[in-house]
Amino acid sequence: MKNKYNPSEVETKWQKVWEEKKVYKPDLKKAEKPFYNLMMFPYPSAEGLHAGNMYAFVGADIFGRYMRMKGHSVFEPIGLDGFGIHSENYALKIGKNPMDQAKISQENFYNQLHSIGNGYDWDRTVETYDPNYYKWTQWLFIQMFKKGLAVKKKSPVNFCPSCKTVLADEQVIDGKCERCDTIVEKKDLEQWFFKITDYADRLLSNIPKLNWSEKVKIAQTNWIGKSEGMTVKFRVEKLKKEIEVFTTRPDTLYGTTFLVLSPEHRLVNFLLESKEIKDYVDRAVKKSDIERQAEGKEKTGVFTGVYAINPVNNEEIPIYIADYVLSSYGTGAIMAVPAHDTRDYEFAKKYNVGIKQVIAGENVSKEAYVGHGKIINSEDLNGLFYPKDKEKVINILSEKGIGKKEVHFHLRDWLISRQRYWGPPIPIIYCQKCGAVAVPEKDLPVKLPYIENYKPIGTGKSPLATHPEFYNTKCPECNGEATRETDVSDTFLDSAWYFLRYTSTEVKDKIFEKEIIKKWLPVDMYIGGAEHSVLHLLYSRFMTMFLKDLGLINFEEPYKRFFAHGLLIKEGAKMSKSKGNVITPDKYIAKFGADTMRCYLMFLGQFSQGGDFYDTGLEGMNRFLKRIWVFSNSVLLTDKEEDREVLRMINKTIKEVSKDIERLSYNTVIAKLMEFYNFAVDKKSLGKDTLGAFLRLLAPFAPHLTEELYQSKISSAKDFSSIHSNLWPSYEEKHLVLNEFLVVVQVNGKVRDTLKIKSKDSEDQKTVERSAKGSKKIESYLKDKKLIKTVYIKGKIINFVTD
Ligand SMILES: [Zn+2]
Ligand SMILES: [Zn+2]
């Protein structure tokens, strides 16, 4: 083994030893410096681990390994989120029952994960479809239900006709199903919701305190979308009705010159007086939200022939119906202020509606003025400033009875029910007498039965609804005939609390061990993709707050630090199944070893920015590791005092690598390790400590190779002591200073010699001059010449200028 680097031999060997010696299994009860290093819950299907997962997981693992070497007890668990539409759709595609497929996927995925060499605690895996796990997912549902936070209501929901299921708002991207890109329809269905909106203010107000990537914080803030404003009612005399509008710009009420209703607004039914209006509405409701909102699209609309009264000045203003107003926005009606809103301006110009400026600033004859300024043409509001005086404006208008102050959130209640098979059954029983009753906790879990007809049926009901042996039951309260809920819960609920369960996988009688949670949580470092910044992070924050309110935990934010890694792409293109360019790491690991793959992935670019994968790139990294192997095995290792220049280089490398690893700048770490190697490679001998330090710096990136070299070349311990539990090297500032400078000596700008100058002597020009003139070579150049001047650049160049 010594002479040839054989990655598969080395990697298999050490993975076995680590597992036996429990190198990555902290004692959760006794650990003294706990550090919870968490990577985002994967949801693999049968293709299992792809290179993008590996990229994310290795990047997270490196940080965990570093913290372990810094002396922390690091807990780095892994598991899989195998319930839900992603796994289910895959099973449907290949015609297998999802329950059968899950076992196959799990085995494959865990085998792949073993091969990448991460420091996982394999005794504590979590799988969401394990009844021991979803028992507690159901238990959480019941707690929500008991607190009045899980409610059933009829509402228009997003329905994917292809997946035959409802989708939460977050699962609809640009009007399309996140999973299959089909245009989403609206359906009115009875559904279970979690009232996350009750927590909107709390979820929002904690954000500034979080140590998270800024873009993720912004995404969360926008999703919660708090806006303060007023609701104002506009009277419609002809219909003897009112139109309610929510506005965040009450300062522009006097500039309102028309109202616009969305085609779905409930008053539209009373306004269908002409064929023109009817046709317009018919066409508009058929369009998707994306089409209607498309930027640059010409605004269309139709005048209803009816007027409303602007309550601030009793002016009559026309009412239009236009598709650029969506029913989901506010009340589905807007007050249009063309002078100060770009879209309203376009519309007003096209349909010849009046434009009235009420904020002083630029002239509005060419375009809307959307900037700040003094309020004008607005009676009592004149002289106030937008936006600074918004509060005053609201107070004045409220006192006059024109509207009332309101806070709106973009955040909607969390839609929990799914009419699918592959999820935890919602633990509710319906009784004619008692209504909706929670399944008693002692009866949990409500097991998902193995059924043959697991395909979604598209009737707005789950396949479980065709199984009376599942749904017929007794009411837990009156013992009368009753039926079970047949919907299952959303997979985002499964992943909203998994990080808590990792700590307590062996506990059967409660959701988790309180004492261990107290010791290990909140999670110290959470690493995952920014694409989950809205959905998953928000739900897990909500669940954490809820558990705190139940008195089960003593913190309300689950993740102390969240780091968003970048995306791995393949030769310039995003990896996707439809393009057929998804890379699985297996063949690369088989050919080059996991260490090469790990280092290569981390060398592609800043971890936060992502990288571009090329098949051809692995060779180079493999060569680098081979050279380290050969060098470590051939260089003469000594215990003698290390050469000063070598000391300086290794101390500098330790300093810089530590700094870079703290900020997860892994590509620069590898560059610095290469630099050190290139510096050291020509040396015949090297201090044992120096090579030991170098191997430890490389250890988080190439854990197997460095373990082998460390054990065979460096360690003298009788009992096995892994390089990965070993101390991270430290540097000494005193070694970083250059002891000697190489000063270039020039005569009339031409290089004639170089001099070694002690660093303390380099300060003094006279001393440098004297030694330069003492050089035989320089002497010959200066002979018979008259010295005009001497220029000295400290520690670098001395130049003699002669006539
Ligand atoms: Zn779909
Ligand atoms: Zn009953």
Side-chain angles (χ1 to χ4, degrees), residues 431 434 475 478:
C431 167
C434 316
C475 169
C478 70

Side-chain angles (χ1 to χ4, degrees), residues 157-167 171-187 284-292:
V157 292
N158 307 302
F159 188 84
C160 172
S162 161
C163 296
K164 296 189 173 118
T165 190
V166 301
L167 301 169
Q171 290 162 317
V172 179
I173 312 288
D174 295 332
K176 293 179 188 161
C177 171
E178 160 189 71
R179 298 287 181 206
C180 71
D181 270 354
T182 306
I183 293 200
V184 166
E185 297 168 355
K186 292 273 177 194
K187 255 195 182 179
V285 293
K286 283 194 191 113
K287 287 187 199 161
S288 72
D289 287 2
I290 341 170
E291 274 179 84
R292 284 165 58 170

Side-chain angles (χ1 to χ4, degrees), residues 258 296-299 324 338 341-352 355 368:
F258 57 105
K297 176 189 150 278
E298 197 184 304
K299 306 278 166 292
Y324 75 92
D341 180 281
T342 313
R343 292 198 304 177
D344 297 346
Y345 190 89
E346 251 179 76
F347 193 89
K349 280 282 181 195
K350 182 171 171 187
Y351 292 96
N352 257 322
I355 296 173

Side-chain angles (χ1 to χ4, degrees), residues 5 13 18 28 49 61 86 103 142 150 228 357 383 454 473 556 649 662 734 765:
Y5 173 43
K13 170 182 165 187
W18 294 333
L28 294 191
L49 185 83
D61 180 63
H86 183 81
K103 291 191 200 95
I142 290 172
E228 287 179 26
Q357 184 160 13
Y454 50 81
T473 188
E556 66 175 27
M649 249 328 251
E662 292 274 355
K734 70 172 185 203
Q765 185 172 339

Side-chain angles (χ1 to χ4, degrees), residues 316-538:
E316 283 205 320
I317 53 175
I319 304 172
Y320 283 80
I321 299 170
D323 66 4
Y324 75 92
V325 175
L326 299 181
S327 61
S328 55
Y329 177 80
T331 58
I334 62 155
M335 54 178 242
V337 186
H340 307 293
D341 180 281
T342 313
R343 292 198 304 177
D344 297 346
Y345 190 89
E346 251 179 76
F347 193 89
K349 280 282 181 195
K350 182 171 171 187
Y351 292 96
N352 257 322
V353 197
I355 296 173
K356 184 178 164 197
Q357 184 160 13
V358 289
I359 303 289
E362 269 145 52
N363 188 299
V364 298
S365 62
K366 289 272 183 308
E367 58 181 5
Y369 173 65
V370 294
H372 300 177
K374 191 158 100 174
I375 301 176
I376 53 172
N377 301 327
S378 301
E379 298 174 14
D380 292 358
L381 304 182
N382 286 343
L384 293 174
F385 279 86
Y386 164 75
K388 163 171 90 65
D389 295 324
K390 187 168 177 179
E391 205 57 44
K392 277 187 199 155
V393 168
I394 291 175
N395 288 339
I396 293 171
L397 295 173
S398 309
E399 268 167 39
K400 292 172 107 178
I402 280 163
K404 64 177 202 290
K405 183 178 171 174
E406 253 188 47
V407 177
H408 271 211
F409 288 94
H410 171 260
L411 183 69
R412 293 282 167 265
D413 280 335
W414 177 7
L415 176 58
I416 286 290
S417 27
R418 294 291 181 277
Q419 292 73 48
R420 299 283 294 228
Y421 167 63
W422 193 228
I426 289 177
I428 292 288
I429 292 170
Y430 301 104
C431 167
Q432 288 268 321
K433 235 163 69 199
C434 316
V437 182
V439 170
E441 290 178 20
K442 66 172 175 46
D443 295 340
L444 294 180
V446 177
K447 276 206 184 164
L448 181 69
Y450 184 90
I451 58 172
E452 296 296 337
N453 54 343
Y454 50 81
K455 290 191 179 118
I457 46 186
T459 55
K461 287 202 160 161
S462 150
L464 292 174
T466 60
H467 286 262
E469 75 285 1
F470 169 76
Y471 63 72
N472 280 333
T473 188
K474 292 270 185 279
C475 169
E477 275 174 20
C478 70
N479 207 31
E481 295 298 321
T483 55
R484 289 184 191 283
E485 170 66 66
T486 53
D487 283 358
V488 298
S489 57
D490 176 19
T491 181
F492 275 108
L493 178 57
D494 301 325
S495 58
W497 71 282
Y498 76 108
F499 52 95
L500 298 161
R501 187 64 187 171
Y502 274 142
T503 63
S504 309
T505 46
E506 73 284 13
V507 182
K508 295 277 181 281
D509 59 340
K510 48 186 171 250
I511 183 165
F512 46 66
E513 199 69 72
K514 267 187 176 179
E515 283 310 303
I516 293 185
I517 292 280
K518 210 167 165 185
K519 196 180 181 79
W520 287 88
L521 279 106
V523 169
D524 295 280
M525 176 58 130
Y526 196 24
I527 297 179
E531 68 275 20
H532 298 290
S533 53
V534 168
L535 338 104
H536 161 63
L537 290 175
L538 193 66

Side-chain angles (χ1 to χ4, degrees), residues 672-771:
K672 277 157 193 169
L673 293 173
M674 286 174 168
E675 199 182 312
F676 180 82
Y677 167 80
N678 288 332
F679 160 83
V681 67
D682 299 328
K683 313 258 178 246
K684 296 272 174 296
S685 71
L686 200 66
K688 211 175 183 180
D689 290 347
T690 305
L691 182 67
F694 173 75
L695 292 175
R696 278 182 279 163
L697 296 180
L698 179 64
F701 296 82
H704 314 85
L705 170 92
T706 52
E707 184 79 283
E708 176 66 32
L709 293 173
Y710 180 80
Q711 298 302 337
S712 61
K713 311 305 291 184
I714 309 293
S715 176
S716 51
K718 266 212 203 91
D719 297 320
F720 172 74
S721 160
S722 171
I723 186 172
H724 304 296
S725 15
N726 227 294
L727 292 181
W728 186 253
S730 56
Y731 66 93
E732 284 186 79
E733 206 63 56
K734 70 172 185 203
H735 294 310
L736 297 177
V737 268
L738 279 172
N739 199 40
E740 276 180 344
F741 288 99
L742 222 50
V743 174
V744 172
V745 188
Q746 298 176 333
V747 177
N748 295 326
K750 292 218 170 77
V751 179
R752 298 303 185 190
D753 202 0
T754 52
L755 284 178
K756 270 189 187 167
I757 303 285
K758 288 223 158 32
S759 65
K760 65 173 175 9
D761 294 340
S762 70
E763 295 292 320
D764 180 37
Q765 185 172 339
K766 286 274 172 290
T767 315
V768 180
E769 253 184 76
R770 217 176 303 125
S771 9

